[in-house]
Amino acid sequence: MAARRGALIVLEGVDRAGKSTQSRKLVEALCAAGHRAELLRFPERSTEIGKLLSSYLQKKSDVEDHSNFSLDWCKQPDVGLPKPDLVLFLQLQLADAAKRGAFGHERYENGAFQERALRCFHQLMKDTTLNWKMVDASKSIEAVHEDIRVLSEDAIRTATEKPLGELWK
Ligand code: ADP
Ligand code: MG
């Protein structure tokens, strides 16, 4: 029997949309259903580059940063990475995200930057080579989880029939 590949599922959304909560719950549910699911953080902060990013985000170090990087420029390091089979966008108004608690103290954890990030997400969603699915993240944790689980199970079923793609290539 030919080896069947798994699905790469990405959760995206602004700060406090529920990415960490939902990715943990999804992996738990998939494992309980007999899948070999694994949670990966990207970037992984324990790697060399991850450590640099982490220290920069925690404002422990400074690297060149200016406001005029284009979205296209920012995409370049990720070109050719394994292409996600499903990108779930956890949709939440910034005002609702604010109700879930105060901003952290890392770089970019502020309203102005989150608005810019949201605009960039909308730009990226126009890319029809990626399988974006919108999820209403304003619902209860359990309701959002159920939506995500159903979409994910579907992606896992269809991914086995398709070759793994390369991102933005
Ligand atoms: P992210 O990883 O996207 O920044 P988190 O999963 O860390 O978001 O969630 C941010 C906060 O919001 C946490 O305190 C979490 O418990 C809470 N939260 C997550 N999802 C929901 C939800 N659907 N409704 C209410 N609160 C939520
Ligand atoms: Mg998180």
Side-chain angles (χ1 to χ4, degrees):
M1 193 180 95
R4 297 195 321 161
R5 74 171 180 93
L8 175 59
I9 299 167
V10 171
L11 272 70
E12 278 296 1
V14 294
D15 197 28
R16 290 163 296 172
K19 302 178 296 295
S20 296
T21 306
Q22 294 297 336
S23 50
R24 276 195 302 267
K25 284 184 74 71
L26 177 61
V27 168
E28 215 176 82
L30 291 176
C31 288
H35 295 289
R36 281 180 300 168
E38 205 183 320
L39 180 59
L40 304 171
R41 289 153 175 271
F42 187 80
E44 169 53 67
R45 291 192 183 201
S46 63
T47 63
E48 283 312 308
I49 288 175
K51 276 184 227 160
L52 178 68
L53 282 170
S54 188
S55 117
Y56 175 68
L57 291 172
Q58 290 167 30
K59 301 175 189 169
K60 289 177 184 159
S61 66
D62 275 308
V63 289
E64 164 74 309
D65 180 14
H66 34 238
S67 54
N68 62 347
F69 287 132
S70 70
L71 183 57
D72 201 47
W73 192 94
C74 294
K75 284 165 73 175
Q76 294 314 307
D78 294 349
V79 169
L81 287 178
K83 183 175 168 174
D85 295 290
L86 173 64
V87 187
L88 295 162
F89 189 75
L90 276 60
Q91 222 161 7
L92 187 69
Q93 299 282 324
L94 291 173
D96 291 333
K99 290 179 200 149
R100 292 185 179 175
F103 279 116
H105 299 288
E106 291 198 337
R107 229 180 270 270
Y108 308 138
E109 290 181 334
N110 61 72
F113 192 86
Q114 293 300 313
E115 282 203 37
R116 275 186 65 200
L118 193 53
R119 279 201 298 276
C120 288
F121 273 127
H122 285 286
Q123 210 42 49
L124 291 167
M125 281 171 211
K126 291 182 189 159
D127 178 354
T128 52
T129 68
L130 279 171
N131 181 20
W132 288 93
K133 288 272 193 295
M134 300 302 125
V135 173
D136 179 358
S138 71
K139 299 199 271 190
S140 72
I141 290 177
E142 287 308 322
V144 177
H145 169 66
E146 187 54 19
D147 291 347
I148 287 179
R149 196 189 56 74
V150 170
L151 289 165
S152 299
E153 289 275 12
D154 189 49
I156 291 166
R157 267 191 302 275
T158 49
T160 61
E161 298 149 24
K162 294 181 290 189
L164 181 65
E166 289 176 300
L167 184 61
W168 294 324
K169 244 182 137 176

